[in-house]
Amino acid sequence: MIKKKQLTQMLGFNLLRICALLVILILAAILYDIISKGIGVISWRFLTTIPTDGMTKGGILPAIIGTFLVTVITAILAIPLGMGCAIYLNEYAKDSIITRLIRMSIRNLSGVPSIVYGLFGVILFVQLMNIGACVLSAGLTLGLMTLPWTITASEEALKNVPDSYREGALALGATKWQTIKTNVLPYAVPGMLTGTILGLSRAAGETAPILFTGAAFYLPYLPRSLFDQFMALPYHLYIMSTQHHSITKVRPIAYGTALVLIALIFTMNLFAVILRYKLRKVKTE
Amino acid sequence: MAKNNNFKERFIHGLFLFNGLLVVAVLIGIFILLIVKSAPVFKEVPLKDFLLKARWNPTATFIEPSYGMGSMFVGTFMVSIGALIIAIPLGIGTAAYLSDIASPRVREITKPVIEILAGIPSVVIGFLGIVLVGPVISKIFGLPNGLNALNGSILLAVMALPTIISLAEDALKSVPLSFKEASLALGATHWQTIIKVKIPAAVSGIVAACMLGMGRAIGETMTVLMATGCSIAMPKGFLSSVQTITSTIAIELGEVPYNTTHYYALFAIGLVLFIMTFIINMISDIALHKYQKVTK
Amino acid sequence: MRKIICFIATVAVLSFSANVAMAKSDMVDIKGSDTLINVVQKLAEIYMKGHPGSTISVTGGGSGTGIAALVNGKCDIADASRGIKPKEVEDANTRGVDPKRVVIAIDGLSIITNAQNPITKLTVDDVGKLYRGDVKSWKELGGNDTPINLYGRQSNSGTYDFMKEVVMKGEYSPNMKSMNGNAQIVEAVKQDLGGVGYVGVGYVKDTTGINVLQVAANPSLGYFSPTNSMDVKSGKYPITRPLNQYLNGEPKGAARDFIIFELSSEGQEIIENEGFFAIPQEYQRYNNDLLGRSGEPEAKGTKYSVNGRDGN
């Protein structure tokens, strides 16, 4: 009787171990495939020249720049609005219907499919506001999509600031805003930025929201203003692997693009993690 | 001086409140704009037909164009449920492993692994569906190419796993220690404790995790666009090509002339998608709420 | 932290302003047909090398996408592998857009099968049967007992429309797999013993692993191949079509210069190198009229009669 219990436990534990191992193996397989088949294509030339010969040769510079530019616009929208909303929720809001409504909206917005954000972007930015399909529209659309992320991360950071900091300032006669400005924000902003960078790294890899709000198949020039279309890494990977007129020939370029994309995302994540680590050190000093 | 300050404080408070309300406005805005842009299609196509008729053929010229979401629903549900069949056991198993069995060192390695997996963009996963999973499927089943519902399910499972694992792990970790200690005190093994005590106690949290995973799967666009073969016919099984709601929008929105019935119809299916994920999120919210109540 | 943000902002602003300096009036925005994208991109690249300072951007999306963009005022030239539809002309006119057509190349739409499929020729009717889904196995057409797997394009494609209107005269079988572009169809048919697809003739040049079927309008008049330039230009190959570019009003400025290049002997040679066919005399005359040019066009081929739907 006892032996059976032990046996079941052993089998059960190993089953769970296998589950975890499978997950790790999946990631390993993904990274191995992309790195091994993409690394051969990466070169300084690949990263700094434009595609030529019907995009069968050359590099992916416009896609890298395009992704960079659209991510900057995303940040400009998502950071202030995200921080502001988090400040309201954590510092000002009392438990009322409005507060619960705001929180419910945030949770729901984070579950809205990326293509629906794309549709919204088309209606609002491309058509109603008549900005057209460009860096600005795509950036604003991605910004809205990143909002729930930045709000949640910012709120976490604000929560981590001990209440004693606030009480101390208030006790000295500071107003609420002064308290926030001098005693809360300086300690929370680094944490807010960490979470935001993670959110931005997600935005950089998104394709569906930019499909119809500004991403282009091939442009022989870099975007000259916010109102130009742009090439982008995720969209470039998509067209290189599906719509290009010789997809087997450009398969290596597709792998290279995929590698650059995940390298970019990984670097942003690493940056955020290092930032988080450095902050913990500062706090404990 | 004090009056000035007071006004400034109230103004800043109002500014932040406005910022908070903006978020609500965005959610409501998405809903309203989708309704406004899709309403015209329902003048031509009755709602029941739109949702239930199987055939989506808006560009038909020899017969009446038909706007039916039927086969799209089937395609979406097939890949989503297929994904959950793979991801739920795998995810809960991994979560249980992380919360109860893994040593802290293993946990230090596995958690970043899951975070990295979560950060891989959908287009890269879709790309791997074309170049990695597809050829394997076509070899195993002897098909000309591996772009079908099975491929989509596998890829969506990979995408839903991180969500399910982290939420389920949170749920399991939050089961009060007293539950575990009581069970062990009564003579149960660790394994029996996990299976019979912890998991049932965390069930609402786990359900919430699965629902969110399902929401992710249903709303995913690029992965299914690249890997499921995009055939609008009613699929015959997991080895058939399918077309999901999301792929239809992605494929057709670029070409459709503005303000035609086809155009409005695409926004209408976007609206349906929005409502579906909204409902799933609400259910998951309720489950999470219940679970938080239980563990308090 | 602030420094990093300032740095990023400065880089962004600089990279924009550096480009704003370039004149915008020289830019030509071309969108549309996937059949044409390869050859028009090539033409654009060579044109830009020879005319520094000019910028031509070429995007795909399908003929429908291109024409929609033209109608919505979002591009200068719409590449189309089919004719513009009356409804699209109507839409255009209500928005103050006046679509004018230039023909830049001739295509013999090619029906391809897997290299191991013994069937080498079909009638137009047979092809129609295939794509309407009237036949399920190659046996019914005199081949092996393998199920037929249909590969085609999506509804935004001019080729999709052209097949439907001219060859099938009916709706597509719902079992057809809709691929994103010509290249994907070729890849799919290469790997599928029972596969059949339709692609622009530029995509079958130098391609292994597929058969390019010979097609007959009427079996008694003979079967012809789309790779035979004479047969295509004379109209003997029954599924030929003009490859068009649509503009808003008569071509002017940078767009006109580019089109003149496309129609020049250098441009037409590039088109032939990519696997398509140069335009015959009637179309040259028609183009010259549109461009407001006089003079006899260079004799490039024999008299040509169009068998496909023209669109205008």
Side-chain angles (χ1 to χ4, degrees):
Chain A
M1 209 36 203
I2 300 178
K3 268 208 170 143
K4 182 170 171 227
K5 253 169 57 167
Q6 302 295 61
L7 191 66
T8 326
Q9 167 145 305
M10 205 186 70
L11 284 173
F13 276 20
N14 279 320
L15 191 67
L16 297 183
R17 274 198 196 98
I18 291 177
C19 286
L21 205 64
L22 265 171
V23 176
I24 298 181
L25 278 178
I26 290 177
L27 179 67
I30 293 177
L31 290 179
Y32 176 71
D33 194 55
I34 295 196
I35 295 179
S36 66
K37 298 200 186 131
I39 196 80
V41 186
I42 306 289
S43 65
W44 186 246
R45 220 179 132 249
F46 186 70
L47 298 173
T48 54
T49 53
I50 63 175
T52 53
D53 279 314
M55 297 210 285
T56 54
K57 299 204 193 90
I60 54 172
L61 179 70
I64 298 178
I65 302 267
T67 294
F68 173 72
L69 289 173
V70 85
T71 308
V72 166
I73 304 288
T74 307
I76 293 179
L77 181 77
I79 294 182
L81 287 186
M83 285 187 182
C85 184
I87 292 176
Y88 175 71
L89 284 177
N90 202 50
E91 308 291 326
Y92 286 96
K94 302 176 198 62
D95 191 21
S96 64
I97 292 191
I98 293 187
T99 314
R100 266 183 275 165
L101 197 64
I102 296 179
R103 286 197 195 280
M104 192 201 77
S105 303
I106 297 172
R107 281 197 303 270
N108 271 295
L109 280 177
S110 66
V112 172
S114 50
I115 188 97
V116 174
Y117 275 108
L119 284 175
F120 183 63
V122 166
I123 303 175
L124 183 61
F125 303 121
V126 177
Q127 291 176 9
L128 276 185
M129 291 172 66
N130 214 12
I131 307 177
C134 57
V135 181
L136 188 59
S137 293
L140 291 175
T141 309
L142 283 174
L144 287 182
M145 203 186 80
T146 315
L147 256 187
W149 198 276
T150 50
I151 297 176
T152 315
S154 304
E155 232 198 310
E156 278 293 308
L158 285 169
K159 278 206 189 115
N160 276 332
V161 176
D163 269 341
S164 54
Y165 285 37
R166 297 181 183 84
E167 288 159 7
L170 289 171
L172 289 172
T175 64
K176 186 133 196 184
W177 170 237
Q178 282 171 331
T179 309
I180 298 176
K181 202 167 71 168
T182 56
N183 274 34
V184 178
L185 279 186
Y187 301 97
V189 162
M192 289 174 160
L193 281 180
T194 308
T196 306
I197 294 177
L198 287 173
L200 289 178
S201 74
R202 289 287 177 90
E206 280 292 333
T207 323
I210 62 175
L211 273 179
F212 306 110
T213 50
F217 184 82
Y218 171 68
L219 295 170
Y221 53 82
L222 298 177
R224 291 178 280 208
S225 74
L226 286 180
F227 299 99
D228 268 345
Q229 291 196 295
F230 60 101
M231 288 175 78
L233 283 172
Y235 187 63
H236 199 69
L237 175 59
Y238 169 59
I239 56 176
M240 282 285 132
S241 52
T242 54
Q243 287 182 344
H244 193 270
H245 47 81
S246 0
I247 41 184
T248 37
K249 201 162 157 203
V250 297
R251 186 57 51 88
I253 297 185
Y255 267 108
T257 311
L259 183 55
V260 171
L261 182 57
I262 58 177
L264 176 72
I265 294 179
F266 187 67
T267 309
M268 289 174 82
N269 277 12
L270 200 64
F271 185 60
V273 165
I274 293 179
L275 200 66
R276 193 193 300 164
Y277 178 67
K278 271 206 162 154
L279 293 177
R280 281 216 192 111
K281 272 179 78 183
V282 168
K283 262 185 101 173
T284 54
E285 272 164 19
Chain B
M1 181 65 180
K3 246 198 178 157
N4 243 351
N5 245 352
N6 203 359
F7 176 71
K8 184 171 153 201
E9 283 296 307
R10 295 243 301 268
F11 179 69
I12 291 181
H13 184 151
L15 210 63
F16 282 119
L17 172 63
F18 178 69
N19 200 342
L21 290 176
L22 210 63
V23 177
V24 184
V26 171
L27 185 66
I28 298 182
I30 295 179
F31 188 54
I32 293 186
L33 281 184
L34 281 178
I35 292 186
V36 165
K37 270 295 176 177
S38 52
V41 82
F42 294 113
K43 290 195 200 119
E44 291 198 31
V45 185
L47 182 63
K48 210 178 81 173
D49 279 352
F50 190 76
L51 292 177
L52 297 177
K53 255 176 70 180
R55 190 91 157 94
W56 175 264
N57 193 357
T59 51
T61 41
F62 293 95
I63 54 176
E64 272 298 304
S66 62
Y67 298 92
M69 287 183 69
S71 49
M72 263 187 259
F73 274 128
V74 173
T76 300
F77 280 122
M78 274 176 78
V79 294
S80 307
I81 298 202
L84 290 178
I85 291 178
I86 301 174
I88 289 183
L90 204 57
I92 297 182
T94 310
Y97 175 73
L98 285 176
S99 74
D100 271 81
I101 308 176
S103 64
R105 218 188 51 186
V106 172
R107 217 171 289 151
E108 284 293 303
I109 302 178
T110 325
K111 294 225 74 174
V113 162
I114 295 173
E115 272 188 42
I116 297 177
L117 194 61
I120 296 187
S122 50
V123 65
V124 173
I125 305 267
F127 176 60
L128 288 172
I130 296 178
V131 300
L132 198 61
V133 182
V136 169
I137 291 182
S138 76
K139 222 179 239 150
I140 294 181
F141 294 97
L143 301 166
N145 65 39
L147 303 181
N148 45 42
L150 178 62
N151 195 337
S153 298
I154 295 176
L155 298 180
L156 287 180
V158 171
M159 300 199 69
L161 264 177
T163 310
I164 296 182
I165 294 178
S166 25
L167 285 175
E169 198 208 338
D170 276 347
L172 284 172
K173 281 230 289 270
S174 307
V175 173
L177 203 53
S178 50
F179 283 39
K180 177 174 170 184
E181 289 170 347
S183 169
L184 289 174
L186 287 173
T189 61
H190 198 173
W191 168 252
Q192 286 171 325
T193 309
I194 296 177
I195 296 295
K196 298 212 168 121
V197 175
K198 282 195 88 169
I199 290 186
V203 81
S204 352
I206 293 180
V207 164
C210 297
M211 296 247 77
L212 279 179
M214 178 169 192
R216 256 214 100 167
I218 290 183
E220 192 37 63
T221 309
M222 299 315 293
T223 322
V224 291
L225 182 61
M226 293 162 88
T228 54
C230 295
S231 168
I232 195 66
M234 190 66 77
K236 296 191 195 82
F238 270 88
L239 298 177
S240 308
S241 295
V242 297
Q243 188 158 307
T244 60
I245 301 174
T246 48
S247 331
T248 310
I249 302 176
I251 293 173
E252 296 181 12
L253 191 62
E255 73 106 347
V256 66
Y258 290 177
N259 302 333
T260 55
T261 313
H262 187 184
Y263 181 74
Y264 300 129
L266 288 176
F267 284 98
I269 66 178
L271 179 64
V272 171
L273 182 66
F274 177 72
I275 294 178
M276 279 166 68
T277 48
F278 189 80
I279 293 179
I280 292 180
N281 266 317
M282 293 300 262
I283 297 181
S284 148
D285 251 5
I286 295 176
L288 211 63
H289 208 63
K290 258 178 77 179
Y291 141 75
Q292 277 169 348
K293 265 204 186 141
V294 164
T295 52
K296 271 208 179 115
Chain C
M1 187 48 55
R2 231 172 241 162
K3 283 197 187 142
I4 299 181
I5 297 179
C6 283
F7 172 71
I8 294 179
T10 320
V11 170
V13 169
L14 280 179
S15 49
F16 273 149
S17 38
N19 282 315
V20 169
M22 290 171 70
K24 227 181 175 194
S25 59
D26 256 4
M27 190 171 89
V28 181
D29 213 340
I30 307 183
K31 284 194 171 84
S33 165
D34 178 76
T35 304
L36 274 166
I37 193 170
N38 188 10
V39 63
V40 175
Q41 259 194 339
K42 196 85 200 211
L43 286 161
E45 252 181 73
I46 295 180
Y47 179 79
M48 286 192 282
K49 264 201 203 110
H51 297 77
S54 62
T55 27
I56 305 180
S57 93
V58 186
T59 318
S63 307
T65 308
I67 294 181
L70 187 73
V71 167
N72 294 330
K74 302 277 183 228
C75 71
D76 300 309
I77 299 180
D79 288 340
S81 62
R82 59 165 171 82
I84 195 170
K85 299 182 194 163
K87 178 121 206 318
E88 288 167 331
V89 178
E90 224 182 280
D91 272 337
N93 291 333
T94 55
R95 282 167 224 262
V97 170
D98 178 27
K100 293 274 184 227
R101 177 175 83 137
V102 174
V103 179
I104 64 167
I106 300 293
D107 179 25
L109 186 59
S110 312
I111 310 294
I112 57 175
T113 52
N114 187 280
Q116 299 190 29
N117 189 330
I119 295 185
T120 55
K121 52 193 194 200
L122 291 174
T123 63
V124 174
D125 265 346
D126 286 336
V127 179
K129 277 196 206 136
L130 275 175
Y131 274 93
R132 285 192 306 266
D134 295 342
V135 291
K136 298 277 194 279
S137 158
W138 286 106
K139 207 168 64 168
E140 298 170 65
L141 293 172
N144 297 331
D145 189 13
T146 352
I148 295 175
N149 287 327
L150 297 171
Y151 294 95
R153 300 283 304 284
Q154 291 155 353
S155 56
N156 56 357
S157 154
T159 316
Y160 174 99
D161 272 332
F162 178 77
M163 269 294 282
K164 200 161 74 147
E165 301 289 323
V166 171
V167 176
M168 294 158 54
K169 304 208 201 302
E171 292 298 323
Y172 279 99
S173 155
N175 292 312
M176 180 181 83
K177 293 200 182 33
S178 293
M179 313 306 273
N180 275 310
N182 285 288
Q184 268 198 322
I185 295 182
V186 173
E187 289 308 310
V189 171
K190 265 195 206 178
Q191 295 168 352
D192 185 351
L193 290 174
V196 59
Y198 54 80
V199 293
V201 70
Y203 287 85
V204 304
K205 184 181 156 180
D206 301 331
T207 311
T208 55
I210 55 171
N211 281 337
V212 181
L213 295 184
Q214 298 186 325
V215 183
N218 187 332
S220 55
L221 294 178
Y223 292 82
F224 301 97
S225 168
T227 55
N228 183 320
S229 145
M230 279 290 117
D231 289 341
V232 169
K233 289 186 188 175
S234 63
K236 285 207 187 120
Y237 181 74
I239 335 177
T240 48
R241 54 182 181 160
L243 296 177
N244 310 312
Q245 288 188 324
Y246 284 94
L247 297 96
N248 182 2
E250 265 110 38
K252 305 183 265 296
R256 182 170 189 271
D257 292 335
F258 179 61
I259 291 182
I260 290 182
F261 170 72
E262 287 177 319
L263 300 176
S264 70
S265 48
E266 190 188 349
Q268 292 287 296
E269 197 183 319
I270 295 171
I271 285 174
E272 295 244 333
N273 280 336
E274 293 296 315
F276 292 101
F277 302 106
I279 52 176
Q281 278 194 335
E282 295 78 46
Y283 279 126
Q284 286 180 32
R285 278 197 208 101
Y286 162 78
N287 286 334
N288 282 341
D289 279 343
L290 184 71
L291 293 169
R293 300 197 293 188
S294 58
E296 266 306 298
E298 308 147 37
K300 262 229 148 200
T302 51
K303 201 133 171 60
Y304 170 71
S305 60
V306 182
N307 270 357
R309 176 165 164 261
D310 219 9
N312 256 359

